[in-house]
Amino acid sequence: MSATLIHGKPLAERIRSEVAAEVRAIGRIGLVTVLVGDDPSSEVYIRLKHKAAVEAGFDTTDLRLPADIAQDELLAKLAELSESDDVDALLVQLPLPDHLDEERVIRTVAPAKDVDGFHPLNAGELYLGRPAIVSATPRGVMALLEEHHVELDGARAVVIGRSDIVGKPMAHLLLQANATVTVCHSHTRDLYRHTLEAEVLVVAAGIPALVTPDMVAERAVVVDVGMNRTAAGLVGDVEAGVAEIAGAITPVPGGVGPMTIACLLENAVRCARYRRGDLAYPS
Ligand code: NAP
């Protein structure tokens, strides 16, 4: 392997201990997570988030609601939590069961408590170049790139994936760092033509081995956001052989994953600061 491995754990641990110090300084930060139903992957994610939040000293509530909860009942609960003085940060684990309207659910979370940064107001502030609360995974990627001194100003960056959770906010953050950004998706023709141009390639498609060594420029920095559960275990979207070509690459697991949780906790501290008035939420 010629590529440098960009591990997420060391930076994530540093961020988590900084967060713990901030929680101690603030006194109490109330974080509520809401899990609807019993999707096994969601259970795992919620467990990991809770463990990290408890370790950092948050006052956490792990609210479990039945898979068949009525839409109105869920919205009423979220509105109540959004208004509660005990709640600084609120997270609804996605995806939701099919009968629930995800967009309405996201809109019901108070924007300044929206620890995931999915509310249209938070997405809009990012789009306008005034980021308030930003989705944790792309923030984690940016922190990793900065930690590893990856030059973004003027760089050609390619993002594969345009989801509201990863791809779009990722592209906006790279754009704000003055990269020249191309966003690819399932309708992109000749994906390799774009990826071969990339000095920084962020892959978030959810397709194992989507990116093969012949699609990557020598010395490119490759960030593999993919997390795919396969018979061979947890794998990313980037084939292992890419590490022979790239200059640096994030492993899966142990790359972006740990950063997502660390940045989520940072977001929760930010929510608490908004509520205390230490920071002004855009209005
Ligand atoms: P998603 O909502 O399913 O979006 C996938 C994106 O990939 C879509 O924009 C889709 O294009 C695009 N795509 C699909 N097939 C493609 C192809 N053949 N060529 C180019 N683009 C293609 O997924 P997501 O929520 O963004 O997550 C993406 C991956 O990241 C998943 O593996 C997920 O598990 C992982 N993830 C990891 C973390 C972490 O902490 N490491 C956090 C979040 C997500 P269209 O828009 O045209 O459909």
Side-chain angles (χ1 to χ4, degrees):
M1 178 189 301
S2 61
T4 304
L5 280 180
I6 301 180
H7 290 289
K9 260 196 184 153
L11 178 56
E13 275 170 14
R14 213 168 73 218
I15 291 173
R16 282 168 63 168
S17 65
E18 284 164 10
V19 165
E22 290 196 73
V23 176
R24 281 195 298 277
I26 288 175
R28 177 193 176 273
I29 301 181
L31 168 68
V32 177
T33 64
V34 179
L35 176 62
V36 183
D38 45 20
D39 176 70
S41 298
S42 294
E43 291 250 6
V44 173
Y45 294 139
I46 282 288
R47 211 168 40 237
L48 290 173
K49 289 170 188 174
H50 261 271
K51 187 167 172 289
V54 168
E55 281 170 14
F58 286 87
D59 187 347
T60 60
T61 306
D62 180 0
L63 184 61
R64 306 285 175 121
L65 298 171
D68 61 355
I69 190 170
Q71 165 102 353
D72 287 350
E73 199 182 334
L74 176 59
L75 295 184
K77 187 71 207 169
L78 294 176
E80 179 194 319
L81 292 166
S82 287
E83 277 167 26
S84 167
D85 280 341
D86 293 333
V87 180
D88 292 283
L90 178 55
L91 177 155
V92 183
Q93 184 66 40
L94 302 179
L96 293 167
D98 288 344
H99 70 285
L100 296 168
D101 180 346
E102 214 158 89
E103 203 187 310
R104 281 195 68 194
V105 167
I106 288 170
R107 280 177 191 274
T108 307
V109 173
K113 294 187 179 183
D114 168 34
V115 66
D116 269 326
F118 296 164
H119 190 285
L121 264 179
N122 287 319
E125 293 293 345
L126 173 62
Y127 168 86
L128 294 171
R130 307 184 297 241
I133 306 172
V134 178
S135 177
T137 301
R139 274 198 54 224
V141 172
M142 293 301 283
L144 269 183
L145 293 175
E146 191 184 343
E147 176 78 358
H148 289 265
H149 310 291
V150 176
E151 179 65 51
L152 293 174
D153 199 312
R156 287 187 298 274
V158 173
V159 179
I160 305 183
R162 58 172 168 180
S163 70
D164 294 343
I165 293 170
V166 187
K168 280 184 199 146
M170 188 74 248
H172 281 290
L173 289 173
L174 288 165
L175 188 62
Q176 280 160 33
N178 295 322
T180 301
V181 184
T182 301
V183 182
C184 301
H185 44 77
S186 68
H187 295 248
T188 300
R189 278 194 299 272
D190 300 334
L191 186 60
Y192 71 95
R193 283 186 196 270
H194 300 281
T195 57
L196 276 172
E197 288 290 311
E199 292 164 279
V200 177
L201 175 62
V202 181
V203 192
I207 301 178
L210 175 68
V211 173
T212 49
D214 55 322
M215 294 169 70
V216 176
E218 269 189 38
R219 311 303 302 153
V221 175
V222 179
V223 178
D224 189 352
V225 181
M227 287 211 304
N228 309 295
R229 284 171 211 288
T230 69
L234 188 68
V235 299
D237 291 352
V238 176
E239 214 178 81
V242 169
E244 302 300 329
I245 312 291
I249 189 165
T250 60
V252 178
V256 176
M259 290 301 297
T260 293
I261 293 190
C263 290
L264 192 77
L265 298 182
E266 268 190 334
N267 280 355
V269 172
R270 196 173 180 87
C271 292
R273 295 210 178 283
Y274 284 136
R275 221 167 68 74
R276 290 161 49 95
D278 302 347
L279 284 176
Y281 186 79
S283 59

